Every structure is written in C-alpha cells, then in structure tokens.
Amino acid sequence: MDTKSTHLSIEPGSWVQLGANYDGEGVNFAIFSAHAERVELCLYDPSGKVEIARMDMPEYTHEIWHGYVPGLKPGALYGYRVHGPYDPENGHRFNPNKLLVDPYARELVGEVEWNDAHFAYDLLHPDKDLTFDERDSGPFTPKCRVIDPNEFDWQDKNRPSISWPSTVVYETHVKGFTQLNSAIPKELRGTFEGMGHKASVEYIKALGITSVELLPIHYFPDDQHLLDKGLKNFWGYNTLGFFSPAPRYYGPRGIQGFRDMVRSFHDAGIEVILDVVYNHTCEGNELGPTLSFKGIDNFSYYRTMPDQHRYYINDTGTGNTVNTSHPRVLQMILDSLRYWTESMHVDGFRFDLGTILGREPEGFDERGGFFDAVTQDPVLSKVKLIGEPWDIGPGGYQVGGFPPGWAEWNDKYRDTVREYWKGTNVSTDFAARLLGSGDLYDQRGRRPWASVNFIAAHDGFTLNDLVSYNEKHNDDNGEDNNDGHNDNRSYNYGAEGPTEDEGINAVRERQKRNFLATLFFSHGTPMLLAGDEFGRSQMGNNNGYCQDSDISWVHWDDLPEACEDLREFTRRIIQLRREQPLLRRENWRDGMEIKWFNAGGGFQEPHQWDEGSTLGLYIGRPDLKVEEGIWHDVLLLFNPFEGNVPFRIPQFGEGGWVLELTTSDVSKHGLVITKEKDFELEGRSLALFRRP
C-alpha cells in the first residue's frame, strides 16, 4: 500500500520500550519476534474497517522490531502482519495473511468476529495445520488503539495499604455482581462503572471487606464452540490481551470507567485485586486460531513438545502453555503486572494456575525465573500476590510450595472444613487448617496469612448449594452434565435443591453459619465468594464458566428473610475478626497459647483425635496489652454431629467465660459460666466464648 497518500512515514525509532508509545509528537512501535523475517505495521481509520497504511518496521535490534511514526496521535488503530517461515514441525507458524494483536496493546477495539480466516491453515484439508491459508483475517480481528498515558488525572490520594493479617478478600465478577442490582442505574449495570458505583462500594464496605478480587478483566474473546451453543465465556479465563481491559465491561466512559472504579474503591479504603491468567492464551492448541502470539513468534511464546515442536505442552488443560522461561515472554508478564500496578493503580493479583509460572523445562521450581523476577522487583514485591498453586502438569500440585512473599489458595482448607461439618472424622486436619495450616506455611519465615482460606469460590458450588445438593446440576452448560467437579463434599440434608421442608431449611441455615464462622475465626486470610454472605444459589450448577445468565448473576431483590439474617451474621463475624487480634494471627512466634479440649473438659489426648470430632479450642495471648474490648482468651467449641453434646466448660484463668455467639441460635449470647459445668452444645453448631 502507498503510505504517501496518508502523509504518514516511518522512522527507525527505539527498541527500548515495547508496545505503541506516544511521546507528544508521534508514536513509537516496538514488537518482539526472534524468528520473524519482516514485520508490517498496519494502520486503520477510526472505524477499524479500512486499512489506511501498511509500513515495514524499519529496524531490528536485539530481537525487537521497531519504528516511529511522526504526527500519529492517541486513538490511532493498528495491528501487525509478521512474515517468517511457516514450518509447524519446527514450531514456526508465521502467516502474514493474519492480522495480529500487539501483545502490549493498552486497549483493544471490537470483538473477535469468528471466521475461518482466523486460522493459519486450511480447516478442511486432511493435513490440517501443516497446510497454509491465504485468507485475510484483518476484517474480523480487533484493532489495537494507541492511548495517551496522561489522559487520566487520577487524583488517587487514598490508595489503601492494608496489612495481610487484616485482609478480607471478596471474590466477585464485574457483570455478575452488578447486572441485577436495581440500585445501580441501568446503563451502568454489567460495567466497571457499575462495579465502582456507590451502591456496590458501600455494600462491600458495610460487610467489612478490605479487598475486592475481580475475576479476569483482561481482554478475552468468547469461544466459538460456546457461541455455537448460545453460551458465552463468562469467567474470562481465556486472555488475548494482557494489558487491555475487556471492552465488554465498558460503560459510558470506556476505559476510564476502569480507573473510576479503582478510585471509588480506594476512596472507600478497599483494595482492588485482579485475577490474572498468564498461564495460557486464547489461541488454543495447534488447531487453534492465529490472533497474536502464535503468529508473532510461536516458538518463543509457547512451550512446545521437546521432540515434536508442532504440538504444545498442555500443563494447563487449555491447549497451550505460556513459555515463562523465555526472557522476553517473562518481560511481557512483568511489564503487564507493573502496568496494572503503576498505571491502573491495582493493589494485587491472584494468579490462575499459578504453578505454571514456576514451571521450567525440568518442572516446577520455586526459584524459577518468574518467582525470582517478582521477588526482587521493586514494584511487584510490594503488592499482594496470591497463587493458585496447582495445574495439571507433572508435580503440578504445589500447595505450600510457593516462595516467601506469596499467599496461596488453600484447597486443603476448603476440603477439610467441608468434610468436618459433613460429619467425617478429620479432626487432626481440621485443627491444622483452623490454626493457619502451619504444616504447610510455617517455614522460611512465611506467615499465617499465606494461607488464603475459602469454603467456596467461583469454581464449584456456592455456599448455599454446598448444603443443598448432593450432585452437580450443570445441564444448562450443554455438556450433558459431564463438566465440573464431581468431588464436591456437599450434602443436601434430605432434599435435592430448594425445599419447603422447614426442618431441612433450618439445618441448612445453621450449616451456612458454621461454615462462615469457621472461615472468619480461622487463622489465615479469609476469602468470601460474593453472595455467600446471604446464601446465593446457582441452582446446583458448579461450573458457571459459560453462564452469562441468571445462573451466575447475583440476585439482589425479593430475598427471603433468612438471607438478610445470614448477611447480618456475616457482618458480625467479620467485625469480630477485625476487632480481635486473637482471630487474625500475624506471626507463628507470637507467644500464643493453644490448648485442645475434649467434651469431658479435659485436654484432648492423642488417641482421642481418632475417636471423635467434638472439639474445644482455647486460644490465649497473655502478652497482649490490656485494652478495652480486646480479648486475651477465647474458647471455641465445635460439634459437627447431628445430636447435642454436653460439653464440660474448662475453668482456668480468671473470671469464667461469657458466650459471645453460637451458630445454633444467633440471638443467644451473654450466658456467663463461672464454674465447671456442662454446656449443651447443640448438634451441628459452633460456640464462641470470651472472658467477661
């Protein structure tokens, strides 16, 4: 194409900063490709439909292709075409007929419009990806937009700094949380602005939450196979652009809506944590589309099979695995994390399938390049880092195996606490989980907060469904109920799903309180799934990844009284945790006294751990300075069984005990016990005592 007609020219520019960077007078473009032979920059008109210029990147320095276009302004739309060998057997999949998204694009415009042209090979040919397709994917590919880094005046003077021991995480979804909230203006529902609306922020603040964790908001397409079934990718674990927010969550202010949302939470003293997916991309396996990385430098960006570079190592279960061992790929991930931290004011990250990030060719290594890079990074080492410590590769289960500085989702906590309240005898494990999982985290100076404790998360049953269903009910997902976990450790207490039976409903409500009280009275960092505070249901669907529908959206209106009661109970236990240092341990070496008692009021003997699960736990801190309202001693009693247990209240220290709360009857508190006597610990209940 003749570039002269557009009055645009290209100069050598700089290789130092990747992406499209505006300097006030023009835009510098730089893109990494170690194996390309030529790279073309394609510029588009504001509609994104008409290509107005195509220019060869003039320079190649240190495996970076770069060029500078004078006079180009923010708002300009662009993409790349990359020339090189099409040799899948050796890991190369260059095809200049495919328009490619810049991995560093700060904003993407338009959705992926699925078309056969997105595939670098002939879909109908028996040799599949060994063939070469010449159709142009440009009309169907989202365009990258140049942004002005200074266009937003943050005035973000209230960036919170919440210590880990004080952190309470709330896992939610931008659209799922806001779509049905009648307190949010209609045009803002389902958007960043809706999430940042005062109705959302004030609600979350009133619960006592310190940190909101958002399911992926990086740009992601909807999978073709889901669209064919009338479904969508709701969760968003399918990234195309690691620097770009998903336009599906834009409201009237576009990308500024994200920044407004962050600032609203900060003004309320609440952190924003992003769930991020650097383990794989949306390009799938060797038969997947060519949208970005695959066409830019497939062999560098992805881990391929050592003896068959045509095929990808699939430790993620999604078709491909990002090659964090490559320095430029590692740089992209770190640059992306720093961008979200410094330019978008995000406070932390939860890493999906985080084990992948520690994978080197020889397997998982907590001293792998990624972990080392983050640990020494002056920006990233100071934000909250939460790993999902598993993947499906060999040695992929690494709970407790992440390096110092990291917190981890602790699924051993989830499973054990579910088993315990179901009545299974897992007393010794339960004791460890309750006290911060020291067996996993009390090493190398890691702290109790490293254990992110949860009962339910986006993936699996909600709390309500955990006590309402024996089986998953995923029929709406279009996979004949074969998807989702089968190992839910759930129980319906006599009826599958909603019931009019008052007795069953009473047990379910009590169990919800047991789970929530256990979560917030456990040492470690509690994470609450949005809606669990009032018993939100997904009608037994434990894999809502494709349900952009009533199933996944939080319902706010016309809730029964039991929902409000549970919400009030949740507020109360979060407040107790916030006010009482004994319930949020900071340090394994803090002089805390821990004693376990049996129902007879004596110390729990070694053989008794295997005999029964009714437990008493004393926690004391004699070193705590005397302060009004601060407890120095607590006594927690647990009875997971159906029947009542007379529990002999042990008497030591001074002043006896006062009942602070019991999950069997939330109105019952204030009972004072000053002599050794039996307390009727009701079936399936927890009781919390303090000193008078």
Side-chain angles (χ1 to χ4, degrees), residues 19 52 101 163 196 214 234 236 298 317 344 384 401 413 421 443 464 477 551 607 610 644 670-671 684 692:
I52 56 172
V101 165
S163 70
L214 299 174
F234 179 66
N298 183 70
M344 302 300 256
K384 287 195 165 70
Y413 179 95
W421 284 112
Q443 52 189 330
N464 178 82
N477 295 357
I551 291 172
H607 68 273
D610 299 324
N644 294 4
L671 171 72
R684 298 191 179 113

Side-chain angles (χ1 to χ4, degrees), residues 95 118 134 160 180 207 212 265 282 301 364 375 434 439 628 632:
N95 185 335
H118 283 305
E134 293 185 353
L180 298 178
L207 275 179
V212 169
F265 277 115
C282 65
Y301 274 108
F364 177 83
T375 300
L434 201 66
D439 55 329
E628 183 70 32
H632 289 225

Side-chain angles (χ1 to χ4, degrees), residues 666-681:
V666 290
S667 64
K668 193 170 160 188
H669 58 91
L671 171 72
V672 180
I673 300 177
T674 54
K675 59 177 190 266
E676 201 160 288
K677 62 179 281 192
D678 286 348
F679 172 77
E680 195 69 11
L681 185 60

Side-chain angles (χ1 to χ4, degrees), residues 11 90 170 174 182 343 347 482 583:
E11 300 170 358
N90 287 304
Y170 190 69
V174 169
S182 55
S343 298
D347 306 289
N482 290 317
L583 301 176

Side-chain angles (χ1 to χ4, degrees), residues 165-313:
S166 302
T167 299
V168 178
V169 179
Y170 190 69
E171 191 198 34
T172 190
H173 183 286
V174 169
K175 185 173 183 181
F177 190 78
T178 60
Q179 186 67 19
L180 298 178
N181 190 343
S182 55
I184 298 171
K186 246 189 183 141
E187 67 276 12
L188 302 184
R189 293 177 201 167
T191 71
F192 293 127
E193 281 124 300
M195 196 71 218
H197 188 269
K198 70 176 187 180
S200 304
V201 176
E202 286 175 4
Y203 173 85
I204 292 169
K205 177 88 173 166
L207 275 179
I209 302 297
T210 70
S211 311
V212 169
E213 184 179 298
L214 299 174
L215 261 67
I217 59 85
H218 288 171
Y219 186 105
F220 63 94
D222 289 303
D223 318 66
Q224 181 69 63
H225 69 95
L226 291 178
L227 295 172
D228 291 345
K229 290 192 282 192
L231 301 169
K232 281 188 171 179
N233 187 324
F234 179 66
W235 288 350
Y237 293 95
N238 201 31
T239 307
L240 174 57
F242 294 113
F243 291 77
S244 173
R248 63 185 70 205
Y249 303 134
Y250 281 2
R253 282 177 48 79
I255 195 171
Q256 306 296 13
F258 179 88
R259 295 164 170 150
D260 289 336
M261 171 191 76
V262 171
R263 191 165 59 190
S264 298
F265 277 115
H266 286 181
D267 287 346
I270 297 169
E271 296 176 319
V272 176
I273 295 172
L274 297 186
D275 193 336
V276 288
V277 190
Y278 294 105
N279 58 77
H280 74 279
T281 77
C282 65
E283 291 186 307
N285 62 13
E286 73 277 5
L287 300 179
T290 296
L291 301 169
S292 179
F293 317 92
K294 192 179 279 188
I296 293 169
D297 192 345
N298 183 70
F299 193 64
S300 296
Y301 274 108
Y302 295 116
R303 294 194 189 277
T304 56
M305 297 298 284
D307 306 322
Q308 289 184 295
H309 295 304
R310 176 184 175 186
Y311 302 108
Y312 298 90
I313 290 172

Side-chain angles (χ1 to χ4, degrees), residues 95 97-99 113-121 123 133-141 289-290:
N95 185 335
N97 301 296
K98 312 304 164 188
L99 186 74
E113 296 173 34
W114 287 113
N115 187 283
D116 289 355
H118 283 305
F119 296 83
Y121 64 95
L123 284 164
D133 182 83
E134 293 185 353
R135 284 170 293 189
D136 180 13
S137 70
F140 316 106
T141 300
T290 296

